[in-house]
Amino acid sequence: MNPNTENFDQLRKLLALKRYELPPPRYFNEFSGRVMARLAEPERQPLTSWQRLGFDFDLRPAAMCGLGVVVCGLLSFGVIGAMQMTEPDAPAAVPGSFVANPMTPPAIAGIAPVPGSIDTASIAPLITRQAASPFNQFGLAATPVSFGTFGSAH
Amino acid sequence: MSQSARVQEEAPAMEEPEKATPAPVPDLELVQRAQKGDGAAYDELIRRYQERVYATVYHMTSNHEDANDLAQETFIKGYQALKSFKGDSSFYTWIYRIAVNKTINFLKQRKNRTHMSLNDIDFNAENDPDLVALISDRTPRRDVGLTELQEKLNDAMQKLSPVHRLVVTLHDVQGLSHEEIGKIIDCNIGTVRSRLFYARQQLQAYLSDYLK
């Protein structure tokens, strides 16, 4: 007899032990029921890599939020761009626009008018800075005015 | 009593022998019914092959939980692919092929992360004359118990490559012929024989302490 065959016979007898390894009792009574129940379930979508990492959130609100941020950003960018493009060197009076004329003191006898160069220097930068305002698009212009109290001049 | 009532009374007596041994519905008929959406027919197919499919997967993985999952997935996949079943092979061979492919893919992913979760040995094993003889008379280590032998055997099985383990499982544990194994794993009989010989040699070397 071939010694290899004899040894294989012993091995085959030993392998027969595996036939006695049985699952828990009544395991097969419920097996087909579990399979049929899983077949009846709606098909589950495979997990995305984000979901596998634990970041499981609904993308729709996040997308809407992102869209809102983008719209606001574009609006802001447009307004700022418009402000910078239309910034004039000096405010020019547009024909037909409203121009505030400096108040001229009334010619009242005994009261001298206030000199024009006394107080206007202090507010001139403020008025010049207003030229960058988007409201200048509508042709509004402001000119320095001087105020004086009647009778303050010598 | 009307004639029809008499016939109804007599009919069970005439059909009694047939009821005692009802002819099993052929697999192909159950498959055709299942293809038309008959869940009960597929349930019957599962019941017919669940033990053999589970056993194959279990002996390949040496893990009850993995075998449970893979056996369930095998039948789920089988149901989903049932439309493509043309009857070229038997349903048994076809479902076995699904189980084997699923198990081999699983083992490739698992690689060396082997965690054994062995089923208990049935108490009838103690009465198996071959095993009793093997343990008490022929095994050099006579103090070995069935549980230890089971662990050593599964350890040795896990050292084989999946394809060699598969051939040993199907032939030496489940008793399938070379031809049937060839159909399941889609290779010729010569390849089955050579794989089986190589796998047995490997196992014999691993288990030399437990074999004469």
Side-chain angles (χ1 to χ4, degrees):
Chain A
M1 188 183 283
N2 185 352
N4 278 338
T5 309
E6 191 183 2
N7 282 339
F8 284 158
D9 284 344
Q10 294 301 311
L11 179 66
R12 290 182 67 178
K13 285 177 184 173
L14 186 57
L15 283 167
L17 176 63
K18 286 191 69 61
R19 293 178 197 156
Y20 292 100
E21 292 178 18
L22 299 177
R26 294 182 297 282
Y27 169 75
F28 289 117
N29 295 353
E30 298 159 1
F31 182 85
S32 67
R34 285 196 293 270
V35 173
M36 296 308 287
R38 282 183 66 178
L39 282 170
E41 282 176 8
E43 196 172 344
R44 276 178 282 182
Q45 296 294 325
L47 290 176
T48 62
S49 47
W50 279 106
Q51 285 171 328
R52 285 196 198 104
L53 290 170
F55 299 106
D56 188 9
F57 54 84
D58 191 359
L59 282 178
R60 196 172 293 174
M64 293 305 290
C65 184
L67 184 66
V69 169
V70 168
V71 168
C72 287
L74 286 173
L75 196 63
S76 305
F77 181 77
V79 168
I80 292 167
M83 283 164 59
Q84 288 174 348
M85 283 173 65
T86 58
E87 185 173 339
D89 291 335
V94 178
S97 64
F98 173 75
V99 178
N101 290 318
M103 184 187 285
T104 48
I108 300 172
I111 300 173
V114 179
S117 61
I118 293 175
D119 294 325
T120 51
S122 58
I123 61 168
L126 291 173
I127 293 169
T128 310
R129 227 176 289 140
Q130 284 175 359
S133 166
F135 296 106
N136 284 345
Q137 306 295 315
F138 307 108
L140 295 174
T143 31
V145 292
S146 58
F147 298 95
T149 51
F150 299 115
S152 60
H154 302 278
Chain B
M1 186 182 287
S2 68
Q3 192 177 354
S4 61
R6 223 176 292 131
V7 169
Q8 279 180 351
E9 275 187 0
E10 288 170 8
M14 291 172 68
E15 287 175 8
E16 213 167 17
E18 283 183 13
K19 277 188 176 176
T21 53
V25 182
D27 282 358
L28 191 59
E29 187 182 324
L30 288 173
V31 169
Q32 286 168 345
R33 280 166 48 190
Q35 283 174 332
K36 291 173 186 168
D38 184 349
Y42 195 68
D43 187 77
E44 175 60 26
L45 285 168
I46 295 172
R47 287 177 189 278
R48 281 186 189 181
Y49 298 112
Q50 60 187 5
E51 293 182 31
R52 278 178 272 183
V53 166
Y54 169 85
T56 302
V57 181
Y58 169 76
H59 295 312
M60 290 289 287
T61 58
S62 294
N63 188 298
H64 169 70
E65 288 78 22
D66 292 341
N68 177 45
D69 290 344
L70 287 166
Q72 284 190 29
E73 285 169 18
T74 296
F75 285 107
I76 288 169
K77 171 80 177 173
Y79 187 79
Q80 290 165 345
L82 207 56
K83 291 271 189 286
S84 66
F85 180 76
K86 306 291 181 201
D88 299 333
S89 61
S90 65
F91 177 78
Y92 164 70
T93 305
W94 186 75
I95 200 75
Y96 244 96
R97 206 176 289 154
I98 295 174
V100 163
N101 288 336
K102 271 199 167 293
T103 307
I104 287 180
N105 286 338
F106 171 80
L107 292 171
K108 280 178 187 170
Q109 288 173 352
R110 192 177 74 171
K111 289 183 181 171
N112 296 323
R113 289 178 286 112
T114 307
H115 170 66
M116 292 202 298
S117 164
L118 301 177
N119 290 328
D120 293 334
I121 297 176
D122 185 57
F123 66 91
N124 286 324
E126 293 171 4
N127 302 322
D128 187 312
D130 284 342
L131 284 172
V132 170
L134 193 70
I135 292 168
S136 59
D137 298 334
R138 311 291 295 271
T139 308
R141 293 182 55 183
R142 291 166 194 227
D143 58 335
V144 72
L146 275 180
T147 308
E148 186 185 340
L149 203 54
Q150 178 197 17
E151 285 178 9
K152 295 295 174 191
L153 183 55
N154 279 287
D155 274 339
M157 287 282 281
Q158 290 302 314
K159 288 178 184 168
L160 296 177
S161 72
V163 287
H164 290 100
R165 201 184 314 154
L166 176 66
V167 176
V168 169
T169 298
L170 294 178
H171 190 271
D172 289 343
V173 181
Q174 300 210 266
L176 269 64
S177 67
H178 296 111
E179 290 79 8
E180 285 175 307
I181 297 170
K183 284 179 189 171
I184 290 167
I185 62 176
D186 198 22
C187 67
N188 60 45
I189 295 173
T191 307
V192 174
R193 285 182 194 278
S194 66
R195 283 182 185 172
L196 187 60
F197 183 78
Y198 178 80
R200 283 171 171 173
Q201 275 189 323
Q202 294 288 307
L203 281 177
Q204 192 173 271
Y206 295 142
L207 294 165
S208 57
D209 285 352
Y210 299 88
L211 298 167
K212 187 182 179 184

